[in-house]
Amino acid sequence: AQSVTQLGSHVSVSEGALVLLRCNYSSSVPPYLFWYVQYPNQGLQLLLKYTSAATLVKGINGFEAEFKKSETSFHLTKPSAHMSDAAEYFCAVRVYGQNFVFGPGTRLSVLP
Amino acid sequence: NAGVTQTPKFQVLKTGQSMTLQCAQDMNHEYMSWYRQDPGMGLRLIHYSVGAGITDQGEVPNGYNVSRSTTEDFPLRLLSAAPSQTSVYFCASSYSHSLNTEAFFGQGTRLTVV
């Protein structure tokens, strides 16, 4: 069965610092990978997705993620954190069964 | 373009009551699903559908029923509410034919069972 792990349920960074949110997946077949962001009291919004066209994927709001097959990872990064980036971030995998499997989420806090 | 619309946004139920959470999408997506979100557990799949007339169970289906009579609508029914069903519920939809397409989410329904 496919699964997604996100290391760190809560990450704090200073404004202007690098953001790194980790995601590892397990899948017996090539996966399709997604990062979503959830702001308080809202639904999930797509940040970016990996669809095998390129291993480095750029998304909205300056975020990007790199697919590393050898490490089964899809970590999310942003060079410089902004206060508005404070939210919860979910990594998800979609495989041939069509369902999405989500990680437990990482809450990002940005300190002034 | 409304996307995925969920109603109600908030609901308080007494133990044993039943209710239906509504979900509608206007993107002609074949795939629709219901998740519940609980702290530290991410989103867990309750039920899903790959088209009108077709539904299947997800990871946590007990206590919930679904039906899919049209492409647009996918209601979730709580048969006899229990405090363990206190959660935030999200409906999502996506195209079925391409796995590289993302899921679109509604704004959620916050349910409290007392």
Side-chain angles (χ1 to χ4, degrees):
Chain A
Q2 292 74 35
S3 66
V4 177
T5 57
Q6 293 182 240
L7 185 63
S9 59
H10 184 205
V11 171
S12 291
V13 300
S14 298
E15 192 173 18
L18 171 72
V19 176
L20 170 60
L21 303 181
R22 300 179 186 274
C23 172
N24 289 87
Y25 68 91
S26 67
S27 174
S28 57
V29 297
Y32 295 97
L33 295 157
F34 305 82
W35 273 102
Y36 284 86
V37 60
Q38 183 183 32
Y39 299 103
N41 300 315
Q42 293 190 24
L44 278 72
Q45 176 185 354
L46 181 72
L47 268 180
L48 49 81
K49 62 182 180 182
Y50 167 72
T51 61
S52 76
T55 57
L56 183 62
V57 182
K58 294 188 185 298
I60 62 172
N61 301 338
F63 283 93
E64 62 182 35
E66 186 172 9
F67 173 68
K68 292 187 177 180
K69 184 178 179 180
S70 60
E71 300 178 6
T72 61
S73 69
F74 190 55
H75 301 332
L76 182 71
T77 60
K78 182 174 180 178
S80 177
H82 191 271
M83 298 296 289
S84 61
D85 295 326
E88 187 145 22
Y89 293 80
F90 293 93
C91 183
V93 62
R94 191 181 196 191
V95 292
Y96 58 86
Q98 302 190 39
N99 291 324
F100 293 80
V101 176
F102 287 85
T106 297
R107 183 163 62 91
L108 176 66
S109 297
V110 182
L111 308 174
Chain B
N1 190 348
V4 180
T5 303
Q6 287 183 239
T7 55
K9 288 186 170 53
F10 301 94
Q11 184 70 51
V12 178
L13 287 180
K14 294 182 179 179
T15 297
Q17 286 185 317
S18 62
M19 79 161 293
T20 299
L21 279 64
Q22 301 292 344
C23 176
Q25 54 92 7
D26 61 0
M27 296 172 283
N28 203 30
H29 287 165
E30 306 92 349
Y31 177 87
M32 294 186 74
S33 53
W34 278 101
Y35 295 86
R36 59 176 291 171
Q37 182 180 25
D38 301 291
M41 305 189 74
L43 280 79
R44 293 183 291 169
L45 183 65
I46 304 171
H47 286 285
Y48 67 98
S49 168
V50 297
I54 306 169
T55 63
D56 207 345
Q57 296 180 351
E59 180 186 356
V60 288
N62 292 341
Y64 308 95
N65 272 356
V66 291
S67 59
R68 183 95 180 268
S69 56
T70 67
T71 299
E72 295 78 20
D73 300 299
F74 191 45
L76 178 72
R77 297 182 185 86
L78 279 69
L79 309 173
S80 177
S84 61
Q85 294 179 303
T86 293
S87 187
V88 181
Y89 292 84
F90 288 99
C91 179
S93 72
S94 178
Y95 289 110
S96 278
H97 302 310
S98 300
L99 294 183
N100 63 355
T101 54
E102 65 271 26
F104 292 81
F105 284 82
Q107 292 297 297
T109 296
R110 186 174 296 273
L111 176 67
T112 302
V113 182
V114 297

